[in-house]
Amino acid sequence: MVENSLDDSNIVDETIKNSDEFIDLEQKENLESNLQNLDETFLDLEDLKYDTELNSKKLKDIISSAIEKGIFLSPEVIDKLTQSDFDYESFIEKLSQNQSLLYVDESLLDKNDLDFDDLNWFDFDKAIVEKEVNNNPKLYDSFIEIIKNKSEFPVDKFLKKDEHRPFFDQDMDISLDIVDHVQANDVAYSNTPALENSQIGEKNNESKKLKEKKIKELSQNQKGGTQKNNKTEESIISNSLFSHEFEGLPSNVEVISSYTNLDQKLDVQNFVNYYRQRLKTFVRMLSTRTELQGLKSINKLRGESEVSIIGLINNIVDTKNGIFIDVEDLTGVIRVIVTKDNEELYNIASELVLDQAIGVSGFLKNNVIYAKTILEPGVPNSIQVKKAKEDVNLAIISDLHVGSKLFLEKEFMKFIDWINGNYGNETHRELGLKTKYLIIAGDLVDGVGVYPGQKSELKVTSIKEQYDYAACLLSKIRKDVTIIISPGNHDAVRLAEPQPALDKDFAESLYKMENVILVSNPSWLRIHNVDGFSGFKVLIYHGYSFDYYIRNIDSLRNSGGFDRFDLVMKFLLNKRHLSPSHGATLFVPDPEKDPLVIEEVPDIFIVGHNHRPNVGSFNNIVLVSGGTWQLKTPFQEKIGHDPLPGRVPVFNLKTRKINLLRFVE
């Protein structure tokens, strides 16, 4: 083609030479310029043919590589691949390394440093479908925002240099107060004033003299020290002695029960089976009670006689003469009447809630039971008082709300320094180094989109970076402390209970920590099962359902409400269910088992959610609410909640005493 074109131009040139007399000079120059441009066009077309063949080969390689991986490329991506400056070799290498990518969108090509395995591409694919089929781009746009803003998370990104570890350089005797000190096995609640340091955990004189002697000996071996640094050196030397003394303390955590998602579609029958299983569980609990003699199913009740039944409450009506309770079992429904004449029974009936299980004995007349006894499953008062052999502590916190502008990072770093034995006076540091377990009862992060207008209150607007931020902080805790984390209503899991453990797609940085155990909400653990000791059975529940019962039960609301979560815990322990009433919290109707039933009696019952620390005891069960590390939010201000941040209950497994430590002025 090129050769023919050149021949044609020669012919034209010859014609021009023979026709000079008919063409003026200006016309001749224009014609020669046009012929030159024509030659260059022919050459460009030849180069384009070569480039097209090369790009076609590249394109086939890329598409073939993608198809082998089961990956779809959008039309916009394919168009972009043909551009001469596109690095297709690097793109193919990324595809070959990918493990989870489903669909490559044009926007991904703009992020050269993107790690394809860092995002949930299955959800991204669904977001694309939602955008294109249902014309709803909201979720898709959120993914694109994450992709555009994605960068590698630095370990100390959120830790200010001047706040990381300044605390142990200060005077150790004025930094920390123990504001509460209660005996957990015999005190329901204590609100004693702050104790002076001299009143708390004094060491005997011989022990102090021995430690002072060791410090003096070690100080004499230090070289280059000045008088100015003597106090700091003494503190650090003292800490090293503490560490050596307590580093051999044993620890052990066994996960008894942590719920996982149901892998099935739910329908109405699931709800029916869910309540059937709940009733069967409570029939087993209550049928052995001596007060319920001659138990019968409701459809077999006849005439006028003494009767006993077990069922779930499906309706409660409070009248001027008494309380009417409709009780249902698998065979039918019957009305139970409690009159105001029996004050004790009436008080029990006034605290019953819908859908809870009860046992009733009374007199049957006209197909109505006039109640003589109402029994809740309850908790036996003969529970063993367990005490470990080792002098080991369990610290309990909750509701950190990491990522919120109101998260108390500096104060939380004080807590971390305390648990590492580097903060507080001698007694405080010893308490910290004896702490081998840390339980975080939900709301580790503030979440994203939990409530309207939340974004303006966030310091970190990416949910994954919030968990990275939390992992960065928790990684500062010494590695012999076992950290157990369960989710809450602000965490990146479903709101319906039971909530599974934190999602690995969001909380991968926590899963990489060897001393962290992630469990569901609720969950059951056995703590400190060592050296023949059976350990403490621990029930962890965030407490989202507690709001409902405080609002609807007069006795709870009038006895302290949100300031007394220990009373709500006692209330639900009596019902042996964490949220018996339909509507108190969202739930998943597992047809095989009701996972919110408290089938066993725990040794320790731990909750969060109310943003106030709370300790108590009920029939030898230790009750603890973990408090918060977030200042009062605008929402809490509106509804009258008064959080008490920066307090940490510390339970001693040997003495069963609880110290409530304060890290916020």
Side-chain angles (χ1 to χ4, degrees):
M1 178 187 295
V2 175
E3 184 178 351
N4 291 337
S5 299
L6 292 173
D7 288 345
D8 290 342
S9 66
N10 290 334
I11 293 171
V12 175
D13 285 342
E14 186 65 28
T15 303
I16 292 173
K17 290 176 183 178
N18 295 331
S19 307
D20 281 346
E21 62 273 26
F22 300 105
I23 303 174
D24 62 27
L25 185 59
E26 183 178 356
Q27 289 175 321
K28 181 179 178 182
E29 289 177 351
N30 289 339
L31 185 57
E32 287 177 346
S33 176
N34 290 337
L35 289 172
Q36 184 178 356
N37 290 338
L38 183 62
D39 286 344
E40 291 175 356
T41 300
F42 284 136
L43 291 173
D44 288 342
L45 288 173
E46 191 65 23
D47 291 340
L48 179 61
K49 176 184 176 183
Y50 174 78
D51 290 341
T52 302
E53 291 175 351
L54 181 61
N55 285 340
S56 177
K57 183 178 183 304
K58 290 180 179 179
L59 196 58
K60 287 179 181 178
D61 290 343
I62 293 173
I63 294 174
S64 298
S65 176
I67 291 174
E68 289 175 2
K69 297 292 294 181
I71 299 168
F72 297 96
L73 305 178
S74 72
E76 295 82 7
V77 169
I78 293 175
D79 289 341
K80 199 162 186 176
L81 297 181
T82 61
Q83 297 178 9
S84 59
D85 60 346
F86 183 75
D87 188 358
Y88 84 103
E89 292 180 355
S90 298
F91 187 73
I92 290 179
E93 184 179 355
K94 280 189 176 184
L95 293 182
S96 65
Q97 295 173 352
N98 168 64
Q99 299 297 322
S100 57
L101 192 60
L102 297 175
Y103 184 89
V104 178
D105 184 82
E106 180 184 13
S107 58
L108 304 187
L109 302 181
D110 297 330
K111 197 67 180 173
N112 294 327
D113 60 344
L114 180 67
D115 182 353
F116 284 151
D117 289 328
D118 271 359
L119 290 178
N120 187 333
W121 296 107
F122 181 77
D123 284 347
F124 181 57
D125 186 52
K126 290 194 295 185
I128 293 172
V129 173
E130 186 70 16
K131 173 191 174 187
E132 296 180 354
V133 177
N134 299 326
N135 197 27
N136 182 8
K138 185 175 181 181
L139 184 59
Y140 172 82
D141 292 342
S142 298
F143 267 98
I144 298 306
E145 183 180 354
I146 292 171
I147 290 166
K148 288 181 178 178
N149 296 326
K150 180 171 174 53
S151 61
E152 184 178 354
F153 186 84
V155 174
D156 285 330
K157 176 177 179 179
F158 296 102
L159 295 180
K160 298 177 183 178
K161 290 182 179 180
D162 60 340
E163 292 181 357
H164 180 200
R165 188 176 289 278
F167 312 110
F168 65 85
D169 292 330
Q170 302 170 3
D171 188 339
M172 291 296 172
D173 293 329
I174 62 172
S175 303
L176 185 64
D177 290 331
I178 296 180
V179 298
D180 207 348
H181 189 66
V182 301
Q183 191 75 26
N185 61 321
D186 59 10
V187 178
Y189 182 76
S190 176
N191 191 21
T192 57
L195 302 178
E196 298 295 331
N197 290 329
S198 60
Q199 295 177 276
I200 308 164
E202 286 290 343
K203 306 289 284 182
N204 61 61
N205 290 332
E206 292 183 5
S207 175
K208 285 188 174 181
K209 288 179 180 179
L210 177 61
K211 188 158 291 186
E212 288 170 359
K213 181 180 178 181
K214 289 181 179 179
I215 291 172
K216 186 176 180 181
E217 291 174 354
L218 287 171
S219 299
Q220 291 173 352
N221 294 329
Q222 301 294 313
K223 296 181 179 180
T226 64
Q227 184 67 30
K228 182 179 180 180
N229 293 329
N230 279 348
K231 187 169 185 178
T232 302
E233 282 183 8
E234 182 176 318
S235 298
I236 295 173
I237 295 167
S238 180
N239 290 339
S240 68
L241 289 175
F242 278 139
S243 299
H244 180 73
E245 183 177 347
F246 300 118
E247 66 184 6
L249 292 174
S251 64
N252 184 45
V253 175
E254 173 192 352
V255 178
I256 299 173
S257 174
S258 181
Y259 195 84
T260 55
N261 281 320
L262 278 176
D263 189 19
Q264 66 181 67
K265 184 178 180 180
L266 300 175
D267 55 27
V268 174
Q269 191 59 40
N270 288 106
F271 285 89
V272 174
N273 292 338
Y274 171 80
Y275 283 107
R276 284 176 177 269
Q277 292 302 324
R278 178 190 292 189
L279 178 58
K280 290 178 181 179
T281 300
F282 283 114
V283 167
R284 289 195 297 269
M285 285 188 192
L286 288 165
S287 58
T288 58
R289 301 286 289 271
T290 57
E291 299 94 328
L292 300 176
Q293 296 293 326
L295 275 170
K296 290 184 179 180
S297 57
I298 290 175
N299 68 341
K300 293 183 179 180
L301 298 178
R302 299 286 188 274
E304 298 182 2
S305 59
E306 294 281 341
V307 296
S308 296
I309 61 168
I310 297 173
L312 302 180
I313 298 174
N314 74 4
N315 193 31
I316 301 174
V317 180
D318 197 347
T319 73
K320 63 179 182 179
N321 296 319
I323 298 176
F324 297 170
I325 307 164
D326 293 338
V327 179
E328 180 180 11
D329 68 7
L330 297 178
T331 67
V333 181
I334 193 168
R335 173 152 291 185
V336 175
I337 295 179
V338 179
T339 65
K340 289 187 175 180
D341 297 338
N342 188 334
E343 185 177 353
E344 181 179 354
L345 192 62
Y346 182 84
N347 290 336
I348 293 173
S350 66
E351 293 196 351
L352 298 177
V353 296
L354 293 174
D355 305 313
Q356 79 164 94
I358 58 171
V360 178
S361 66
F363 188 78
L364 177 66
K365 183 177 181 180
N366 297 329
N367 205 32
V368 173
I369 299 176
Y370 292 87
K372 183 176 64 176
T373 303
I374 294 179
L375 294 178
E376 296 183 286
V379 173
N381 55 15
S382 57
I383 300 171
Q384 177 187 0
V385 178
K386 292 183 178 178
K387 293 185 178 181
K389 299 176 183 177
E390 294 79 18
D391 195 5
V392 172
N393 292 328
L394 160 66
I396 298 143
I397 61 176
S398 68
D399 298 270
L400 278 68
H401 292 272
V402 171
S404 167
K405 290 178 180 178
L406 299 176
F407 167 57
L408 296 168
E409 177 187 312
K410 181 177 180 180
E411 288 75 10
F412 189 69
M413 284 305 302
K414 290 182 183 179
F415 163 73
I416 290 175
D417 280 316
W418 164 78
I419 206 170
N420 289 335
N422 295 319
Y423 184 64
N425 63 21
E426 181 179 311
T427 300
H428 302 143
R429 297 197 303 275
E430 183 176 329
L431 277 173
L433 289 170
K434 286 181 180 178
T435 301
K436 302 291 287 187
Y437 308 98
L438 170 63
I439 290 179
I440 304 176
D443 285 359
L444 176 64
V445 301
D446 202 48
V448 176
V450 178
Y451 55 87
Q454 184 187 22
K455 189 173 183 179
S456 64
E457 298 177 15
L458 291 177
K459 175 182 178 181
V460 184
T461 58
S462 162
I463 186 64
K464 187 177 186 302
E465 287 198 356
Q466 286 185 10
Y467 283 112
D468 288 340
Y469 182 3
C472 173
L473 294 170
L474 296 177
S475 68
K476 308 299 178 186
I477 295 175
R478 66 181 204 273
K479 297 304 180 285
D480 65 318
V481 176
T482 303
I483 305 171
I484 302 105
I485 304 173
S486 66
N489 55 295
H490 276 254
D491 284 298
V493 293
R494 71 183 183 213
L495 191 58
E497 297 173 352
Q499 296 175 298
L502 297 177
D503 194 315
K504 193 172 183 179
D505 288 340
F506 299 117
E508 183 180 6
S509 50
L510 291 169
Y511 278 89
K512 291 179 179 178
M513 295 176 62
E514 294 182 358
N515 62 328
V516 168
I517 298 174
L518 296 154
V519 295
S520 66
N521 170 45
S523 57
W524 286 81
L525 310 171
R526 192 181 305 278
I527 289 206
H528 204 67
N529 181 10
V530 296
D531 297 333
F533 177 63
S534 62
F536 291 83
K537 282 187 295 184
V538 180
L539 170 59
I540 305 174
Y541 177 58
H542 182 60
Y544 189 60
S545 70
F546 287 17
D547 297 5
Y548 173 89
Y549 297 104
I550 291 172
R551 288 194 303 265
N552 289 279
I553 304 299
D554 291 342
S555 61
L556 295 177
R557 186 173 59 255
N558 297 331
S559 298
F562 290 96
D563 295 343
R564 293 295 306 274
F565 258 31
D566 60 310
L567 298 180
V568 189
M569 296 163 79
K570 177 181 177 181
F571 176 83
L572 294 177
L573 280 169
N574 268 325
K575 300 177 188 319
R576 297 293 288 273
H577 200 285
L578 295 169
S579 183
S581 301
H582 185 89
T585 184
L586 294 174
F587 68 95
V588 176
D590 189 328
E592 302 297 327
K593 179 182 180 180
D594 182 351
L596 300 183
V597 172
I598 307 174
E599 291 195 50
E600 297 187 52
V601 179
D603 299 307
I604 309 172
F605 185 10
I606 293 172
V607 299
H609 188 59
N610 68 327
H611 287 218
R612 291 185 69 89
N614 198 216
V615 296
S617 178
F618 174 52
N619 286 3
N620 294 329
I621 302 171
V622 180
L623 312 176
V624 185
S625 177
T628 186
W629 293 90
Q630 183 187 42
L631 293 173
K632 184 186 292 187
T633 66
F635 175 75
Q636 291 170 332
E637 183 77 34
K638 288 179 182 178
I639 63 176
H641 281 201
D642 190 20
L644 192 63
R647 271 70 171 175
V648 179
V650 180
F651 175 61
N652 185 277
L653 305 186
K654 182 177 182 180
T655 65
R656 296 178 63 90
K657 291 181 179 179
I658 295 178
N659 290 308
L660 187 59
L661 277 62
R662 180 173 64 207
F663 295 87
V664 177
E665 294 300 328

